[in-house]
Amino acid sequence: MKKRHPVRKTICVLLILMLCIAVSAGIFYGVKGYQMYQDAVSQISIEDRVEKIREEEHFTKYSEMTDFYINAVISVEDHRFREHRGIDPIAVCRAVWADVRSMSFREGGSTITQQLAKNLLFTQEKKLERKAAEVFAVMDIEAEYSKEEIFELYVNTAGFGSGYEGIYAASTGYFDKIPSEITDYEAAVLAGVPNSPSVYAPGVDDGLTALRARQVLQSMVRNDVITQAEMDGLM
């Protein structure tokens, strides 16, 4: 009988050990995440939080935003938003690989629904249990609300820097225009701000604001929302 090479045997043992550790960690953080989610909704339900947001004076409906702004946000933040059910496996795998390579927890592969869950229920602190808690929240949000509702709730709760929360405050604060009146370029600027408001918000650094707007427009070209010529006409 042919004996297994000791090196191969060691590798197999290590792989099994790593798999066991990964499964155990998944169960551990899954349980902690579920507890975190239950704690959050036991204080105020998602439905009550949503109604509170909708009752705010300048809540901006989906129909009150320009198509260009909507497409810009989806292109740069979550271009498979209309297809997935709140979690994008491709984005998650890409983010995990980036985190492994950088040995950090920089990227989370968050969808628009996950970001909404975070805005509604959790802090911005990056913790594994919070990411697990987001999954439970996302399942409930996607089951209860349409994509249009999720989008409008997200942009009404997103931070835009300079003390502006929500698209109405950002649009009027930065450009003195309501969301339906902003230009396509202004829409690209606003679409890029929530990624890092302290860096990309208008007035912080005009060069970085313009760079981020270009990134937004490039994502729209990549996703066949606009043409390169249309992008060039806006810059």
Side-chain angles (χ1 to χ4, degrees), residues 2-127:
K2 189 177 180 181
K3 291 186 178 180
R4 182 178 293 180
H5 195 283
V7 174
R8 290 183 181 177
K9 185 177 180 180
T10 301
I11 291 173
C12 287
V13 171
L14 287 174
L15 288 174
I16 292 171
L17 181 61
M18 290 172 64
L19 179 61
C20 290
I21 292 172
V23 170
S24 298
I27 293 172
F28 175 78
Y29 284 108
V31 170
K32 289 194 71 175
Y34 181 73
Q35 291 172 339
M36 179 181 287
Y37 172 59
Q38 288 299 316
D39 288 344
V41 295
S42 67
Q43 297 173 30
I44 308 178
S45 69
I46 291 176
E47 291 78 9
D48 288 343
R49 292 170 194 263
V50 167
E51 286 310 306
K52 187 176 180 181
I53 293 166
R54 286 174 169 168
E55 288 170 0
E56 292 179 0
E57 182 181 0
H58 295 300
F59 180 81
T60 303
K61 295 180 180 179
Y62 189 91
S63 60
E64 296 170 334
M65 303 175 217
T66 67
D67 289 341
F68 196 95
Y69 173 71
I70 292 169
N71 290 329
V73 173
I74 292 174
S75 288
V76 77
E77 291 285 348
D78 181 10
H79 70 274
R80 282 181 287 271
F81 172 67
R82 294 185 177 97
E83 286 76 49
H84 63 62
R85 295 300 299 165
I87 303 293
D88 185 349
I90 296 174
V92 170
C93 291
R94 184 178 64 245
V96 168
W97 177 238
D99 290 343
V100 168
R101 285 190 302 169
S102 64
M103 298 300 290
S104 67
F105 188 38
R106 291 188 205 171
E107 297 194 33
S110 292
T111 63
I112 285 174
T113 314
Q114 284 177 276
Q115 292 181 64
L116 171 61
K118 180 173 60 179
N119 293 345
L120 286 177
L121 299 167
F122 310 115
T123 67
Q124 304 298 308
E125 188 177 3
K126 290 186 176 181
K127 286 186 175 181

Side-chain angles (χ1 to χ4, degrees), residues 58-224:
H58 295 300
F59 180 81
T60 303
K61 295 180 180 179
Y62 189 91
S63 60
E64 296 170 334
M65 303 175 217
T66 67
D67 289 341
F68 196 95
Y69 173 71
I70 292 169
N71 290 329
V73 173
I74 292 174
S75 288
V76 77
E77 291 285 348
D78 181 10
H79 70 274
R80 282 181 287 271
F81 172 67
R82 294 185 177 97
E83 286 76 49
H84 63 62
R85 295 300 299 165
I87 303 293
D88 185 349
I90 296 174
V92 170
C93 291
R94 184 178 64 245
V96 168
W97 177 238
D99 290 343
V100 168
R101 285 190 302 169
S102 64
M103 298 300 290
S104 67
F105 188 38
R106 291 188 205 171
E107 297 194 33
S110 292
T111 63
I112 285 174
T113 314
Q114 284 177 276
Q115 292 181 64
L116 171 61
K118 180 173 60 179
N119 293 345
L120 286 177
L121 299 167
F122 310 115
T123 67
Q124 304 298 308
E125 188 177 3
K126 290 186 176 181
K127 286 186 175 181
L128 287 174
E129 57 262 41
R130 196 215 73 207
K131 297 298 292 185
E134 281 179 12
V135 174
F136 296 104
V138 160
M139 289 190 292
D140 283 348
I141 291 170
E142 287 276 344
E144 185 67 25
Y145 301 99
S146 69
K147 289 293 186 179
E148 289 187 2
E149 290 174 315
I150 290 170
F151 182 90
E152 69 181 20
L153 287 165
Y154 165 63
V155 298
N156 276 278
T157 57
F160 287 84
S162 303
Y164 300 134
E165 182 175 297
I167 181 59
Y168 184 92
S171 178
T172 56
Y174 289 127
F175 302 120
D176 196 26
K177 300 175 182 178
I178 61 175
S180 62
E181 295 175 342
I182 57 175
T183 67
D184 290 348
Y185 182 76
E186 290 166 345
V189 169
L190 292 179
V193 173
N195 178 263
S196 185
S198 62
V199 176
Y200 299 129
V204 175
D205 185 316
D206 291 342
L208 289 177
T209 299
L211 175 63
R212 181 58 177 164
R214 175 178 286 275
Q215 291 173 345
V216 171
L217 294 170
Q218 287 172 335
S219 75
M220 297 179 77
V221 173
R222 252 190 335 268
N223 294 311
D224 298 320

